[in-house]
Amino acid sequence: MVHTATSVEWTVVGSELESLQLEYTWIKEYKPRFNIAFRDDKSYPYLAVTMRDKFPRAQVMRGDRKKGVRYFGPYSQVWAIRETLDALLRVFPVRTCSPGVFKRAEASGRPCLLGYIDKCSAPCVGRISPEEHRNLADGLCRFMAGGAEKFIAELTTDMKDAAANMDFERAAVLRDDIVALTKAFERNAVVLSDSTDADLFAFVQDELEAAVQVFFVRGGRIRGQRGWIVEKVNDGSEGELIEQLLVRLYGEAAAHVASASSTLAEETDANRHEIPRQILVPVLPDNTEQLREWLSGVRGAKVSIAVPQRGDKAELMKTVAENARHSLALHKSRRAGDITTRSASLVELQEALELPEPLMRIECYDISHVQGTNVVASMVVFEDGLPAKSAYRKFSVSGDAARDDTASMYDVITRRFKRYLTEQQQRAQAGPQRSGR
């Protein structure tokens, strides 16, 4: 793998659980050669609570989701679920045994080992009523669904009250519960609701370039990511940049729909699904209403463009922006690493042309015309081995200079350096005047 790989890229997400979900999705989609895990029909394991049962059971589950069961995860390994559940059973001692073990304990009147060590409330022998056991299961589900901060805060308040009342034994128990719950739970703040289909855009820019990142969220989960670098050819606003990004990303889908005939209805429907119901951006693009109308027409259903202000979507936007920052930093580091290669190329060119110094600025000219008419010339510039697009120029050629390419080239280069010498002379004259003042 080390010898085969050509580059390293990464995607930043909000938590380990999000990274597991994204990794699993990509392994299933791209089937990478060197990934062995999850290449078969297995899926990530989940912590599941069977709320449909009379006495809900907490257990490990894989595969398709079942009605009446609450799922939490995913986890990378089964042992990770067991460690999490072992910590949680200290506070929520719900049943974890199989139906066979439960029936044997119920028949014998003796609980299993977990019942003796207070890791189970032992509903099998009547230590707790069905309603009380279900309340424990509800508390476990609420905690795992994102109520961790509130629950831990309540336990912390109870611990302080117990200590103030000199009930140090209870305070110590509550302290240990808080430690166990804090270690067991990692809140996955960026998972959106199951009905959320959205593309989230973010970018980070400097004077010359902008790094763009897009997260594709389908069914509330991050299903993909895309990033690229955009060269800034002018000083446009952020709204203009967002408009360009939307047109670039969704223009291909629009072209497919426009070119599809009535005999290709299925293909057209497939292309419409490339555009989600929601497009979330850091700032509203210019011509927002026109873009909404265009995207809705391509998708065949309403498309909204919005800036998230708070909640899970705003948190996920921060993650997308963080990826853009990493992408721009990586791009800059790669360009910095190219300095050695560029320097070697400039020295090689200097030696080939037998020049006394390396070529720090290179100007290239070309003539174009339409069968001898509409003659134009272009100039591209390289400085220190890199394109200097702000210095690019275009020249119109007319009169006798347009009779052939040689005459056109002579005219353009003469005009170019006459202007250059005039500017140099003006600078030389302005220098002493400024110093005199």
Side-chain angles (χ1 to χ4, degrees), residues 22-34:
L22 191 56
E23 176 194 19
Y24 172 73
T25 301
W26 281 348
I27 290 175
K28 291 294 188 182
E29 180 177 356
Y30 298 112
K31 297 179 173 60
R33 173 182 173 188
F34 296 103

Side-chain angles (χ1 to χ4, degrees), residues 40 79 84 91 130 151 194 235 272 351-352 355 425:
D40 52 17
W79 60 262
T84 301
V91 183
F151 196 89
D194 291 342
D235 296 327
R272 286 176 178 172
E351 294 174 350
L355 299 175
Q425 186 178 5

Side-chain angles (χ1 to χ4, degrees), residues 69-366:
V69 180
R70 296 288 305 276
Y71 292 87
F72 306 97
Y75 290 79
S76 57
Q77 302 290 343
V78 172
W79 60 262
I81 299 181
R82 301 198 189 285
E83 285 189 357
T84 301
L85 187 57
D86 185 66
L88 293 176
L89 288 179
R90 176 185 178 89
V91 183
F92 306 103
V94 299
R95 165 199 166 205
T96 59
C97 59
S98 65
V101 173
F102 185 88
K103 289 179 180 179
R104 285 196 297 271
E106 192 175 29
S108 64
R110 298 175 55 188
C112 63
L113 176 62
L114 292 179
Y116 283 111
I117 63 175
D118 295 328
K119 286 292 185 72
C120 178
S121 55
C124 53
V125 294
R127 289 186 185 175
I128 188 173
S129 68
E131 292 76 16
E132 292 172 329
H133 186 270
R134 182 166 292 276
N135 289 336
L136 285 176
D138 287 335
L140 173 62
C141 291
R142 286 196 303 272
F143 185 88
M144 291 298 298
E149 291 85 353
K150 181 179 179 181
F151 196 89
I152 291 176
E154 292 175 355
L155 289 181
T156 302
T157 302
D158 293 343
M159 178 187 69
K160 292 179 179 180
D161 292 342
N165 295 328
M166 304 297 180
D167 190 356
F168 298 113
E169 290 186 1
R170 173 169 170 74
V173 171
L174 292 173
R175 177 201 62 199
D176 294 341
D177 288 349
I178 292 171
V179 172
L181 294 177
T182 303
K183 290 177 62 178
F185 185 76
E186 179 185 13
R187 184 174 182 264
N188 188 3
V190 299
V191 175
L192 306 179
S193 64
D194 291 342
S195 61
T196 301
D197 291 338
D199 288 350
L200 293 90
F201 288 78
F203 64 89
V204 175
Q205 59 183 332
D206 59 15
E207 296 80 5
L208 300 176
E209 297 169 315
V212 182
Q213 286 285 318
V214 186
F215 274 23
F216 306 105
V217 177
R218 300 295 183 268
R221 296 284 180 174
I222 302 173
R223 299 302 183 188
Q225 167 267 351
R226 181 180 175 185
W228 64 90
I229 302 295
V230 177
E231 294 186 356
K232 298 169 62 178
V233 296
N234 52 45
D235 296 327
S237 64
E238 293 184 349
E240 291 176 351
L241 179 57
I242 288 294
E243 180 181 352
Q244 295 171 8
L245 298 179
L246 296 182
V247 172
R248 172 175 176 174
L249 186 63
Y250 301 120
E252 184 177 352
H256 278 301
V257 173
S259 61
S261 64
S262 58
T263 59
L264 299 176
E266 294 182 0
E267 180 183 352
T268 304
D269 290 339
N271 290 325
R272 286 176 178 172
H273 289 298
E274 295 177 9
I275 300 177
R277 287 177 290 184
Q278 282 185 307
I279 297 175
L280 304 179
V281 292
V283 295
L284 286 177
D286 295 350
N287 302 319
T288 301
E289 292 303 324
Q290 289 84 348
L291 283 172
R292 285 174 179 160
E293 183 178 353
W294 171 60
L295 293 172
S296 299
V298 174
R299 184 175 180 267
K302 184 179 179 181
V303 175
S304 64
I305 303 175
V307 179
Q309 301 294 334
R310 62 183 66 86
D312 290 342
K313 293 177 182 177
E315 290 298 317
L316 184 53
M317 285 290 289
K318 294 179 181 178
T319 302
V320 183
E322 181 68 18
N323 277 272
R325 280 189 286 271
H326 280 268
S327 178
L328 185 59
L330 176 61
H331 175 70
K332 288 185 175 181
S333 66
R334 285 174 175 171
R335 289 191 61 172
D338 289 339
I339 292 178
T340 303
T341 304
R342 296 202 310 270
S343 300
S345 300
L346 293 174
V347 170
E348 184 179 349
L349 184 59
Q350 173 193 358
E351 294 174 350
L353 299 176
E354 299 180 355
L355 299 175
E357 295 180 356
L359 294 171
M360 305 313 296
R361 179 182 172 97
I362 302 173
E363 295 184 0
C364 306
Y365 297 83
D366 187 36

